[in-house]
Structure formats: C-alpha cells, structure tokens
Amino acid sequence: MNIILLGPPGAGKGTQAQRLVERHGMRQLSTGDMLRAAVKAGTPTGLEAKAVMERGELVSDAIVSALIGDELDAMGADTGAIFDGYPRTEAQARSLDEILAARGRKLDHVIELGVDEDALVERITGRYTCATCGKGYHDTFEQPKVPGTCDKCGGTEFKRRPDDNAETVRTRMAEYRAKTAPILPFYEAQGIVSKVDGMAEMDAVTDALESILAN
Ligand SMILES: [Zn+2]
C-alpha cells in the first residue's frame, strides 16, 4: 500500500501519518527528511544534492526522484510508503508513478484531510499554553478549571505562539491550496482521491483513514 497524505497545517496530518506508521509498519517518506539523511550518510545521491545546495541552487526533480528510489529500494517490498510533501507538480506526480512502477508498486490512495477554514482559524488561534509547565489549553475547547490558573502546576502565566493568528493560518491555507491544486486533478482523473474530514476527532479521522486503506 502506497499513499499520499495531504492536509493543511493544523489538520492533524502528522499525527495520522504517525499512527499509520505504528499500526501498519508503513514508512513516511518526507523529501526534506530524506534529503537531510542522504546528505548526512554521504550516499551518491546525497553528495550530489549537497553540491547543488552548496551552490545555492534548488535540488532538482531528478535528485528527489533518485532519493525516493533509493529509499524504496531500501524498504522491504511489503512495506507501504506514505508520501509527505511530494509531489508538488504534475511532472513530479508522473515521475512518482514511474518510480513506483519500476519497483512493482503503485499509488493506491491520495487522501486529503479536509478542513473548514474558519473552524481551523478558531482551532489554531484559540490555542495557548501554560508558561511554566507547557500544558496546552484552548479558549473555546479547554479552559483551566480555575480561570487563570494552570490545572497541572498552578502557574498563572500563559503564552501564545505568535504565528497562531488568523492571518498566518489563512496564508498557510492559501499556500496549501496553491501547492495541491496542480496535483489533485491528476489523481482525481485516476480515481484514487479520497477526502476525510480533518476537523473530526482524531480517532474518528484515524477510523476513516483505516476504512479507506481497507478498500
Ligand atoms: Zn502549568
């Protein structure tokens, strides 16, 4: 089973990918992580990528394809892949199909964790944490039992992350749409796109993913 998991920041994609890794022994293939690992390990592809980056250039599609190929070759044939952050363009999507086909694999599902943008803004901008112990709270969903006092440590100072604001969330959503817009039609034409409600409870999202994978 090889899948692409899509979802904007805040949709819980990282958590869901981690669960698939734990439950099904799948491997999450993030191009950024693969690149860093290959450079560190000094593989031929890693050395090539390092030279490109040292010249201040972007790593080409050919290098990324080679990285993915290396990674798939190193995985057991029964180990499924979760692609994360790749492909971003239709050319990369076609290339991924070829990389997989050359190894007797295919892409089974492209799953998008959908979000309601306004609800996502509320979810993210309402977050805050105890400045002392780091316990997380939310303006709407999880206030301390005694207002202004941390349930866990009794602290009275709280903090918010500066990028947990509506403008940043909406900018990230726009960036996400721009990144996925080029590839979704390509996969929709193959009939392998499924959408899951990323705003649902985490366990319900996991159940929805599992039922897609079971088909
Ligand atoms: Zn605390």
Side-chain angles (χ1 to χ4, degrees):
M1 186 74 70
N2 303 286
I3 67 170
I4 294 174
L5 201 53
L6 299 172
K13 188 179 65 162
T15 303
Q16 297 300 336
Q18 191 55 42
R19 288 183 176 184
L20 294 179
V21 166
E22 284 163 10
R23 291 178 178 207
H24 299 284
M26 297 176 82
R27 283 283 301 278
Q28 189 175 6
L29 302 189
S30 145
T31 49
D33 292 347
M34 280 189 285
L35 194 57
R36 278 185 288 278
V39 168
K40 198 174 165 200
T43 65
T45 312
L47 294 175
E48 200 184 337
K50 190 178 175 203
V52 169
M53 290 188 291
E54 280 173 355
R55 293 199 299 271
E57 294 167 17
L58 286 174
V59 174
S60 67
D61 282 0
I63 291 177
V64 174
S65 296
L67 278 175
I68 293 170
D70 290 351
E71 199 72 26
L72 290 172
D73 289 340
M75 286 164 46
D78 295 337
T79 305
I82 305 169
F83 293 96
D84 178 15
Y86 177 93
R88 289 297 192 211
T89 64
E90 191 181 323
Q92 290 176 351
R94 290 183 189 283
S95 161
L96 179 59
D97 278 354
E98 286 167 16
I99 296 166
L100 290 168
R103 290 163 179 80
R105 291 175 180 255
K106 70 179 174 66
L107 202 56
D108 298 284
H109 297 284
V110 175
I111 306 171
E112 181 172 41
L113 301 179
V115 297
D116 175 278
E117 186 166 330
D118 291 332
L120 185 69
V121 167
E122 183 187 32
R123 184 192 269 191
I124 292 177
T125 60
R127 301 195 287 212
Y128 63 98
T129 55
C130 170
T132 308
C133 74
K135 177 170 168 37
Y137 293 98
H138 194 281
D139 291 328
T140 311
F141 308 119
E142 197 188 356
Q143 290 279 25
K145 289 184 186 74
V146 178
T149 305
C150 176
D151 294 345
K152 195 172 161 194
C153 76
T156 53
E157 301 266 326
F158 297 89
K159 61 183 181 183
R160 290 173 193 266
R161 284 172 42 182
D163 53 352
D164 281 352
N165 65 70
E167 194 189 340
T168 304
V169 175
R170 292 192 192 280
T171 302
R172 286 202 206 115
M173 276 300 296
E175 285 169 358
Y176 168 73
R177 290 206 180 93
K179 278 180 197 158
T180 52
I183 59 163
L184 276 174
F186 175 76
Y187 291 123
E188 272 159 1
Q190 294 183 13
I192 57 171
V193 176
S194 304
K195 297 208 179 179
V196 166
D197 178 11
M199 302 304 290
E201 291 289 332
M202 252 180 231
D203 290 346
V205 176
T206 303
D207 289 347
L209 287 174
E210 294 287 357
S211 72
I212 291 167
L213 295 188
N215 283 319

